[in-house]
Amino acid sequence: VRRVFVANRGEIAVRIIRACEALGIETVLGYSEPDRETLGVQEATRAVCIGPAAARESYLSVPAIVQAALGTDCDALHPGYGFLAERVELRNRCDEYGLTFVGPKAESIEAMGDKLRSRALADDAGVPTVPGSDAVATADAAREAAEQVGYPALIKASAGGGGRGMRPVGSPAQLATAFAAATAEAKEAFGDGRVYLERHVEKARHVEIQVLGDGEGRAIDLGERECSVQRRHQKLLEESPSPVLSDLLREQIARAAVALAQRARYLSAGTVEFVFDERTGEFFFLEMNTRIQVEHPVTEMVTGADLVAEQLRLAAGETLIGRPAHEGHAIECRINAEDPARGFAPHPGRLTRWRPPEGDDIRVDTHCYEGYTVPPYYDSLLAKLIVAGPDRPAVIERTIAALEDFEVEGVPTTIPFHLELMHDEAFRARGVDTRWVDERR
Amino acid sequence: MDRMTDPGLTADDVRRILQLVDDSHYGELRLEIGDLRLYVRKEGETATLAPNGAAPAEVRGAGKRGAAEKEAAREETMEADESVPGDDGLVYVTAPMVGMFYRAPGPDQEAFVEPGADVAEDDVVCLIEVMKLFSSITAGTKGRVKEVLAENGAMVEYGQRLLAIEPAEGA
C-alpha cells in the first residue's frame, strides 16, 4: 500500500490521513464541494473534488469515488464508516479495478449486512442470538411469530440498521399497525421491505466486542465497549470496560465474538454487537459491523493498539498482532452540533470559537477548527472527546474537567448533555440502559 | 432512442426498462448483457447507453488507456451540461462529475472543438469518462471557443473549468 484514497469526510477522514502519514503512506481525499474547507483537505497529500453537496452524487457515488482513486493513481482505498463503508458494490469495484480495499472481504460485508444471514452465521458459530423469527410477509404471519417469540417483541428490518424499520410491539393489539409501519420504513430506507421479529430485551445494555481478523481464520478480540447511552438508537457515549459485566461474562462475550470472526474468516477490523440483559445476565448477538467504528478510540485508549494502522497492515497482507493487554478505563463523548435542549436538533453554523481541551490522557478526534462552518448536508458529529484514566470514577472526574474546558461558540453542542450525564447518580453508579436517555426526556 | 443498433435490445425494451426503473424506488440501474451496457440514473435525468463492440478492458490513470477503450467513446451518451458565466464575460463549461477528460471522440480522431470554433448550445465539446461510461458535454451556450482549459486524458474534478466560451451577441 503506497497511496490510499480516503473515501469519507469529517473526523474519520482526518484520522485515516494521519494514520497513513505515520506509516509513510500518501493519501488522496475525495471531498464534496461544501467540504473544501475541512481539515482533511488541508492535511491529505492531495485532495480532489468528487461531486456536489448531495452525498448521493459524491460520497455515495461508487463510480465517482473509484474513478477519482484511479485517476490519482491510488493503490488502496479506505472507506471509513458510514457512506459506502458497508456497501459491497464498492468493495467489488475496488477488486475489479485492482484497488486494495482497506476492510473486510465482500462475502463478510454481504453476509453481515443482512440481519437474517448474519444471525444464521452466529448460530453456526455457537453465538447466542435473540429469540426471533424468520422473515414475515404479512401481519398475520407476524402475529403468529410474535406468539412464539413472546411479548414484548421488536419488529426489525432484515436489511436494517440505525433503528430504522424498527418497531416495538407490546401486545397483539399493536401488531398490525407496527408491522405496516416497519415494512414501509424498511422499504423506504433500505429498498428492502423484509422484516422479522425478535424478543425485545428491556433494560438492555449495548455491549460490543472489537475484533481483528486476518482473513484466514485467525482472529483476536480487543475487549468490549459499552454504548448504552443512546438517543433513538444513536450512540452518544461509549466506554470501556463496561461497568456492569463480570469478568466471567466479559470473557464469554469476547469468546463468542472471536468464534464468529474466526468462523467467517473475517479480515480487518470489525465489531460484534450484543444486547446484554442486565436482569437475566443473558447476552445475545445483534449484528456485526464490518467497518471501523466511530467509537474505536475507546479501545485504543485502553489497549494502546492503533486500529486504523492495523487495518492498513492487514490490508497489505501483514500478520495479525497478538491480543493486547487492557489497562485502565476510557470514555468517549460524541460532541455533536445539536441542541440537547431542543430534542437534539442538528444545528449547522460557523464555529466562532473552537478550543478543544488538551492534556495527558485526553484525545480529541476532529475535523473542525475555529472559523469552520459546519455544513447542513451531513451528520452533526464535530468531535470525539476521549478521556482515559486508571478507573471509571477517575475518568468521570477527568471527563467533567475536559468538558468544562471545551470551548465552543457558534453552534449548540452536546457538551451540556454530557456534563449532566457525568453528574447523574445512575450513570455514575453503573451506567444506564439503552432507553434511559429517551425515557428521561 | 434511434441510436441503438444492438439487435438484442430494442427501443421498446429500453422504454420498458426505463418505465420499470421509474416506477421502482431504485435510483440507478446498471444492466450488462454481453457487451452491451445500459446505465440509467433517475436523479439528474441521465441515461447513457454504450453498446461496446470492443468493451473497455481496464481503466487506470490517463496514460494507460488502450485503443479499445477510446473506441467506446464513439458511442453516444447524453448528459446535462453545466455552464457557468464568469466575471470576465466568458462562459465556462464545467465538469458535471469527476472523471477523465477527452477532447475527441476517439484516439485517432479530431477534437470536437478547437479554440476559435463556433459552437451552438447543443454542440458536444468534450467527453468525460467515469468507469467506462462516457458522457458528452455540450457547450450550453452559443458562441466561440476561446480556450480549452483541461488537458486531454487527464482527470478533472467536479466543477473544474473545462472550456471557456465567448458567448455570441444576444446569447
Tab-separated table of all heavy atoms in Angstrom, chain A residues 206 226-231 234-239 417-418 421 427 431-434 436-437:
chain	number	residue	atom	x	y	z
A	206	HIS	N	-26.061	-2.147	25.628
A	206	HIS	CA	-25.402	-2.392	24.346
A	206	HIS	C	-23.922	-2.632	24.627
A	206	HIS	O	-23.218	-1.726	25.054
A	206	HIS	CB	-25.595	-1.198	23.410
A	206	HIS	CG	-24.901	-1.346	22.097
A	206	HIS	ND1	-25.567	-1.489	20.907
A	206	HIS	CD2	-23.588	-1.384	21.788
A	206	HIS	CE1	-24.686	-1.608	19.929
A	206	HIS	NE2	-23.472	-1.544	20.443
A	226	GLU	N	-18.956	-0.484	26.039
A	226	GLU	CA	-20.385	-0.383	26.334
A	226	GLU	C	-20.887	0.929	25.751
A	226	GLU	O	-20.318	1.995	25.978
A	226	GLU	CB	-20.668	-0.440	27.840
A	226	GLU	CG	-22.166	-0.186	28.048
A	226	GLU	CD	-22.741	-0.653	29.356
A	226	GLU	OE1	-22.087	-1.390	30.091
A	226	GLU	OE2	-23.893	-0.254	29.625
A	227	CYS	N	-21.960	0.839	24.962
A	227	CYS	CA	-22.500	2.017	24.268
A	227	CYS	C	-23.986	2.133	24.564
A	227	CYS	O	-24.807	2.243	23.654
A	227	CYS	CB	-22.290	1.894	22.764
A	227	CYS	SG	-20.709	1.191	22.284
A	228	SER	N	-24.357	2.075	25.829
A	228	SER	CA	-25.780	2.067	26.181
A	228	SER	C	-26.383	3.462	26.236
A	228	SER	O	-27.603	3.598	26.214
A	228	SER	CB	-25.977	1.365	27.528
A	228	SER	OG	-25.521	0.023	27.439
A	229	VAL	N	-25.543	4.483	26.335
A	229	VAL	CA	-26.082	5.847	26.333
A	229	VAL	C	-26.432	6.198	24.891
A	229	VAL	O	-25.566	6.511	24.077
A	229	VAL	CB	-25.085	6.869	26.910
A	229	VAL	CG1	-25.693	8.275	26.867
A	229	VAL	CG2	-24.694	6.501	28.326
A	230	GLN	N	-27.713	6.082	24.576
A	230	GLN	CA	-28.178	6.276	23.205
A	230	GLN	C	-29.421	7.124	23.202
A	230	GLN	O	-30.208	7.086	24.129
A	230	GLN	CB	-28.535	4.925	22.549
A	230	GLN	CG	-27.395	3.946	22.503
A	230	GLN	CD	-27.777	2.677	21.780
A	230	GLN	OE1	-28.909	2.503	21.331
A	230	GLN	NE2	-26.830	1.772	21.645
A	231	ARG	N	-29.578	7.859	22.119
A	231	ARG	CA	-30.817	8.568	21.898
A	231	ARG	C	-31.382	8.081	20.575
A	231	ARG	O	-30.722	8.183	19.557
A	231	ARG	CB	-30.580	10.066	21.842
A	231	ARG	CG	-31.865	10.811	21.650
A	231	ARG	CD	-31.646	12.258	21.362
A	231	ARG	NE	-32.913	12.776	20.905
A	231	ARG	CZ	-33.277	12.835	19.624
A	231	ARG	NH1	-32.458	12.443	18.685
A	231	ARG	NH2	-34.465	13.301	19.303
A	234	GLN	N	-29.119	6.103	18.545
A	234	GLN	CA	-27.853	6.730	18.145
A	234	GLN	C	-26.973	6.846	19.386
A	234	GLN	O	-27.384	7.413	20.386
A	234	GLN	CB	-28.101	8.129	17.554
A	234	GLN	CG	-28.955	8.138	16.296
A	234	GLN	CD	-28.321	7.366	15.154
A	234	GLN	OE1	-27.131	7.485	14.907
A	234	GLN	NE2	-29.125	6.559	14.470
A	235	LYS	N	-25.764	6.321	19.259
A	235	LYS	CA	-24.876	6.335	20.418
A	235	LYS	C	-24.385	7.747	20.714
A	235	LYS	O	-24.079	8.510	19.802
A	235	LYS	CB	-23.663	5.438	20.140
A	235	LYS	CG	-24.027	3.979	19.973
A	235	LYS	CD	-22.882	3.193	19.342
A	235	LYS	CE	-23.312	1.775	19.047
A	235	LYS	NZ	-22.351	1.086	18.168
A	236	LEU	N	-24.321	8.056	22.002
A	236	LEU	CA	-23.844	9.378	22.414
A	236	LEU	C	-22.551	9.285	23.219
A	236	LEU	O	-21.743	10.202	23.213
A	236	LEU	CB	-24.911	10.080	23.266
A	236	LEU	CG	-26.143	10.579	22.507
A	236	LEU	CD1	-27.277	10.893	23.470
A	236	LEU	CD2	-25.799	11.821	21.704
A	237	LEU	N	-22.407	8.177	23.931
A	237	LEU	CA	-21.224	7.993	24.772
A	237	LEU	C	-20.867	6.516	24.794
A	237	LEU	O	-21.744	5.652	24.823
A	237	LEU	CB	-21.531	8.479	26.188
A	237	LEU	CG	-20.447	8.267	27.258
A	237	LEU	CD1	-20.419	9.458	28.205
A	237	LEU	CD2	-20.665	6.979	28.057
A	238	GLU	N	-19.559	6.251	24.753
A	238	GLU	CA	-19.097	4.871	24.787
A	238	GLU	C	-17.989	4.761	25.813
A	238	GLU	O	-17.257	5.722	26.028
A	238	GLU	CB	-18.563	4.443	23.410
A	238	GLU	CG	-19.570	4.580	22.271
A	238	GLU	CD	-19.489	5.932	21.565
A	238	GLU	OE1	-18.732	6.810	22.028
A	238	GLU	OE2	-20.174	6.104	20.542
A	239	GLU	N	-17.877	3.586	26.447
A	239	GLU	CA	-16.793	3.406	27.404
A	239	GLU	C	-16.289	1.972	27.423
A	239	GLU	O	-16.963	1.056	26.956
A	239	GLU	CB	-17.228	3.836	28.812
A	239	GLU	CG	-18.363	3.038	29.409
A	239	GLU	CD	-18.800	3.580	30.771
A	239	GLU	OE1	-17.938	3.776	31.631
A	239	GLU	OE2	-20.011	3.809	30.947
A	417	PHE	N	-25.176	18.190	27.664
A	417	PHE	CA	-25.782	16.876	27.905
A	417	PHE	C	-24.777	15.957	28.605
A	417	PHE	O	-25.098	15.294	29.597
A	417	PHE	CB	-26.244	16.237	26.586
A	417	PHE	CG	-26.531	14.760	26.708
A	417	PHE	CD1	-27.760	14.319	27.181
A	417	PHE	CD2	-25.556	13.820	26.386
A	417	PHE	CE1	-28.011	12.957	27.333
A	417	PHE	CE2	-25.796	12.459	26.548
A	417	PHE	CZ	-27.034	12.025	27.020
A	418	HIS	N	-23.557	15.916	28.084
A	418	HIS	CA	-22.546	15.030	28.649
A	418	HIS	C	-22.192	15.440	30.081
A	418	HIS	O	-21.990	14.576	30.939
A	418	HIS	CB	-21.292	15.015	27.769
A	418	HIS	CG	-21.473	14.240	26.500
A	418	HIS	ND1	-21.718	12.884	26.481
A	418	HIS	CD2	-21.462	14.631	25.198
A	418	HIS	CE1	-21.847	12.476	25.232
A	418	HIS	NE2	-21.697	13.511	24.433
A	421	LEU	N	-24.859	14.235	32.309
A	421	LEU	CA	-24.747	12.787	32.437
A	421	LEU	C	-23.657	12.420	33.438
A	421	LEU	O	-23.840	11.534	34.283
A	421	LEU	CB	-24.431	12.193	31.055
A	421	LEU	CG	-24.425	10.677	30.925
A	421	LEU	CD1	-25.826	10.121	31.110
A	421	LEU	CD2	-23.890	10.269	29.554
A	427	PHE	N	-25.855	7.135	36.273
A	427	PHE	CA	-24.733	6.919	35.356
A	427	PHE	C	-23.455	6.657	36.140
A	427	PHE	O	-22.678	5.760	35.816
A	427	PHE	CB	-24.547	8.112	34.415
A	427	PHE	CG	-23.343	7.953	33.526
A	427	PHE	CD1	-23.395	7.133	32.406
A	427	PHE	CD2	-22.143	8.587	33.838
A	427	PHE	CE1	-22.274	6.948	31.604
A	427	PHE	CE2	-21.018	8.412	33.041
A	427	PHE	CZ	-21.082	7.599	31.924
A	431	GLY	N	-23.706	3.116	35.139
A	431	GLY	CA	-24.162	3.350	33.776
A	431	GLY	C	-25.663	3.217	33.675
A	431	GLY	O	-26.346	3.026	34.681
A	432	VAL	N	-26.177	3.341	32.454
A	432	VAL	CA	-27.630	3.330	32.259
A	432	VAL	C	-27.985	2.378	31.114
A	432	VAL	O	-27.114	1.967	30.356
A	432	VAL	CB	-28.149	4.751	31.922
A	432	VAL	CG1	-27.927	5.684	33.103
A	432	VAL	CG2	-27.491	5.301	30.668
A	433	ASP	N	-29.272	2.051	30.970
A	433	ASP	CA	-29.664	1.168	29.876
A	433	ASP	C	-29.941	1.981	28.616
A	433	ASP	O	-29.938	3.213	28.640
A	433	ASP	CB	-30.858	0.281	30.266
A	433	ASP	CG	-32.125	1.078	30.467
A	433	ASP	OD1	-32.642	1.624	29.470
A	433	ASP	OD2	-32.605	1.155	31.622
A	434	THR	N	-30.204	1.282	27.525
A	434	THR	CA	-30.263	1.940	26.209
A	434	THR	C	-31.466	2.863	26.025
A	434	THR	O	-31.506	3.642	25.086
A	434	THR	CB	-30.275	0.897	25.070
A	434	THR	OG1	-31.334	-0.031	25.327
A	434	THR	CG2	-28.960	0.157	24.983
A	436	TRP	N	-32.638	4.829	28.514
A	436	TRP	CA	-32.606	5.809	29.599
A	436	TRP	C	-32.728	7.253	29.099
A	436	TRP	O	-33.539	8.024	29.593
A	436	TRP	CB	-31.315	5.609	30.395
A	436	TRP	CG	-31.196	6.431	31.635
A	436	TRP	CD1	-31.739	6.169	32.863
A	436	TRP	CD2	-30.445	7.640	31.786
A	436	TRP	NE1	-31.376	7.138	33.757
A	436	TRP	CE2	-30.585	8.049	33.135
A	436	TRP	CE3	-29.677	8.413	30.916
A	436	TRP	CZ2	-29.985	9.210	33.622
A	436	TRP	CZ3	-29.078	9.564	31.413
A	436	TRP	CH2	-29.230	9.947	32.750
A	437	VAL	N	-31.966	7.600	28.084
A	437	VAL	CA	-31.979	8.990	27.589
A	437	VAL	C	-33.364	9.349	27.051
A	437	VAL	O	-33.914	10.406	27.371
A	437	VAL	CB	-30.909	9.206	26.499
A	437	VAL	CG1	-31.015	10.616	25.904
A	437	VAL	CG2	-29.511	8.975	27.063
